[in-house]
Amino acid sequence: MSRRAALLMGGAGGVAMAGGGAWLGSVAAQPAAAPAAAEGAIGGLTTPPPYAPSGRRPKNRRATWSQQFQASHGWSAGGGGTASAEANDKTQFVRGTQSVRVTTNGTGKQSYVRKTGMPALNATGKMIRLLFRVDDVSNLAKMVFYLGSGGLKNYFAWTFHVHSKTAANYVQSGEWVTVHLQWADVNSAAGTYALSAAGKPSTTTGFTDMSFAVYDNAGGQVTYRLQAVELIPDTTDVFPNGVVSITFDDSHRSIHDLARPIMDSFGFPGTVYNIADAIGTGSFLTVDQMRSMQNFSGWEMAGHSYANAVHTASYPKLTAEEADEDFRKLREWLVSNGFTSEHFAYPHGAFQKTSDGVPVDLIASRHFTTARSIISETIESFAPANPYRLKSLTGITDGTGIGGTALSKLTGEGGKLDRCADSGDWLILCLHKIVDGTPKTSTEIGTAGLTTLMQELEDRDIPVVTVEEAMAYYK
């Protein structure tokens, strides 16, 4: 039995191979739920979708250590960038009866909520879960978390959010946000702590100090609220070597003609996020090719958009009703053609609000179980912190001088694959077109580069699973 077959038979709660090697999954198209009450409807969308998601979302992972910032929590706010703070704020909270509120002073300096001198914590096999809110992100620059000892003379640091003025942001105004920080994501070390050339931390235990830091852009104040800092089991308790999902956007025929043969030779499946309108036209996949990949190579056929025009424009350019209609038609098209994947990827990674102010990711949740972005400031965890903002690394190419993410950043020492194998994470890779030659744009990877990537995964013994398979572990 191959490693992949053993993984599928032994993991995913009894997921089995069927049809001589075709992984068909165990997700059946679900009938729509009863219409939502008007007060709970998303953006006024009360008509139920024809195929509602099955609800296979990740279970909440129980914390092994938790600070929820209730009375007598003992953390303090400070830093040169802090204007005011309330350690026991009862105006905004999602746990208990309070949270910590801090407002920066608009100078671009560090503002923080921290505690030092705690009993030593062991973070081996753990990831950090943060729960926080930024009231208005207009002047937000970045957010950093520090874990250390000796009054933070020794620390590891995670820069977990750098705010963009143009692209979709994981952290948005007025939302309570959950972020997972894994050892694979550590950016830097100081004092007696160090990171090896392969990205491994010198220690993962003995921590007495924590600091949640926020920087404004020196253009105005930022108010943020901290609700919880916790340790929870990390990806390694399910996938000791981490896990990778290879995803392809836009339904290019080269996925079938060039990528599939290479990945077949390693026994690796992929997830294709499809544009229904493009199928069977020009240089795009046909329905028969999609079925062949699903039924005989175990690939997943997921959704990207129904209409070509919607893919080009992206959902935030539409009204909520227009976006919901495209989601509905996409899911109907997939199911009617025998593709029962409940997973989706945003065109251009855009999940901001629609033109009439409804968050696109909330609309996606009416039709799909996960939705993938192209945010990669941290790598995705298992289970994900937010299944409707799955993080992925995009633009991977073996070309030169064309932008994107150089393949060597994955395969080189201390790159994403080393960190995945050594520290554990769920690394979702986003590819587009495959070329038999030299790539000319950042959305292309050559057959030589793809072969190298597959070999590097094989050499590190990193499991490769579809998005559907990954989510099946948390049904």
Side-chain angles (χ1 to χ4, degrees):
M1 180 181 290
S2 69
R3 187 178 76 242
R4 171 170 160 72
L7 171 69
L8 293 175
M9 293 295 290
V15 172
M17 304 293 281
W23 192 87
L24 301 179
S26 57
V27 180
Q30 300 295 310
E39 66 184 48
I42 293 171
L45 302 170
T46 58
T47 302
Y51 297 102
S54 64
R56 178 179 284 169
R57 297 182 176 92
K59 295 179 181 178
N60 182 61
R61 308 206 77 175
R62 299 293 178 86
T64 60
W65 177 89
S66 179
Q67 174 55 258
Q68 299 189 36
F69 297 100
Q70 300 307 296
S72 305
H73 55 76
W75 290 51
S76 59
T82 294
S84 63
E86 172 53 64
N88 300 285
D89 184 81
K90 299 184 184 300
T91 63
Q92 291 282 351
F93 53 88
V94 285
R95 291 189 188 177
T97 60
Q98 65 176 49
S99 64
V100 177
R101 192 272 304 159
V102 182
T103 299
T104 69
N105 58 18
T107 63
K109 297 178 181 179
Q110 185 187 97
S111 171
Y112 62 72
V113 178
R114 72 171 50 164
K115 188 173 184 180
T116 61
M118 297 183 290
L121 292 170
N122 184 348
T124 305
K126 301 291 190 295
M127 58 184 168
I128 300 161
R129 179 164 63 198
L130 305 175
L131 178 56
F132 61 91
R133 168 187 165 124
V134 179
D135 288 4
D136 185 340
V137 298
S138 299
N139 293 307
L140 179 63
K142 66 178 181 179
M143 309 180 82
V144 185
F145 188 81
Y146 298 88
L147 180 65
S149 62
L152 286 172
K153 291 179 181 178
N154 317 304
Y155 65 76
F156 292 111
W158 289 259
T159 301
F160 62 89
H161 181 63
V162 177
H163 206 72
S164 171
K165 289 292 186 183
T166 55
N169 286 287
Y170 196 86
V171 178
Q172 298 187 20
S173 297
E175 296 181 348
W176 286 101
V177 179
T178 301
V179 169
H180 291 167
L181 306 179
Q182 302 172 95
W183 287 112
D185 293 320
V186 173
N187 300 111
S188 61
T192 59
Y193 296 168
L195 296 172
S196 72
K200 295 185 69 171
S202 54
T203 185
T204 56
T205 190
F207 302 112
T208 58
D209 309 333
M210 294 183 180
S211 182
F212 179 92
V214 175
Y215 297 78
D216 61 45
N217 62 7
Q221 294 181 313
V222 171
T223 295
Y224 63 95
R225 303 167 193 273
L226 186 57
Q227 182 66 83
V229 177
E230 300 177 315
L231 295 181
I232 60 174
D234 69 11
T235 303
T236 59
D237 74 335
V238 179
F239 293 107
N241 286 358
V243 64
V244 168
S245 292
I246 312 292
T247 71
F248 297 84
D249 286 6
D250 301 347
S251 306
H252 296 290
R253 186 173 296 173
S254 62
I255 302 168
H256 173 274
D257 294 348
L258 300 177
R260 178 190 181 181
I262 293 170
M263 293 175 65
D264 275 353
S265 69
F266 290 89
F268 293 160
T271 294
V272 184
Y273 292 108
N274 293 285
I275 306 168
D277 232 5
I279 301 303
T281 69
S283 61
F284 297 96
L285 294 167
T286 67
V287 169
D288 284 345
Q289 288 171 335
M290 292 171 65
R291 288 174 180 156
S292 177
M293 295 170 76
Q294 172 185 268
N295 296 341
F296 301 109
S297 295
W299 285 54
E300 175 185 8
M301 295 296 133
H304 202 27
S305 74
Y306 179 81
N308 262 318
V310 169
H311 176 267
T312 300
S314 76
Y315 287 94
K317 301 291 179 61
L318 309 180
T319 66
E321 277 197 20
E322 290 169 339
D324 191 65
E325 176 68 3
D326 193 81
F327 277 117
R328 180 192 67 76
K329 292 169 71 175
L330 173 61
R331 185 74 195 282
E332 257 189 330
W333 185 91
L334 288 168
V335 172
S336 67
N337 282 283
F339 309 120
T340 57
S341 169
E342 297 184 0
H343 304 284
F344 173 82
Y346 302 105
H348 315 296
F351 55 82
Q352 303 96 311
K353 292 180 179 179
T354 59
S355 61
D356 51 351
V358 181
V360 171
D361 53 346
L362 287 183
I363 302 173
S365 72
R366 286 167 45 85
H367 304 270
F368 292 91
T369 294
T370 71
R372 198 216 67 208
S373 74
I374 51 173
I375 293 172
S376 60
E377 52 201 4
T378 59
I379 300 304
E380 194 50 80
S381 59
F382 189 80
N386 185 340
Y388 292 100
R389 295 180 190 176
L390 291 182
K391 298 180 177 182
S392 72
L393 187 64
T394 191
I396 301 158
T397 181
D398 54 338
T400 56
I402 56 175
T405 302
L407 180 61
S408 59
K409 289 191 175 181
L410 275 74
T411 60
E413 186 179 19
K416 296 294 185 182
L417 297 189
D418 274 355
R419 288 194 167 210
C420 182
D422 291 340
S423 302
D425 57 30
W426 179 18
L427 178 59
I428 305 176
L429 303 179
C430 171
L431 307 176
H432 291 79
K433 185 182 292 185
I434 298 84
V435 296
D436 193 6
T438 303
K440 294 182 172 59
T441 74
S442 62
T443 56
E444 296 179 345
I445 186 171
T447 53
L450 186 63
T451 302
T452 296
L453 176 58
M454 298 303 109
Q455 187 62 59
E456 295 282 350
L457 289 166
E458 178 80 6
D459 291 346
R460 289 171 175 80
D461 202 29
I462 300 175
V464 175
V465 301
T466 66
V467 173
E468 182 178 43
E469 289 169 354
M471 294 303 292
Y473 281 83
Y474 280 87
K475 61 185 179 181

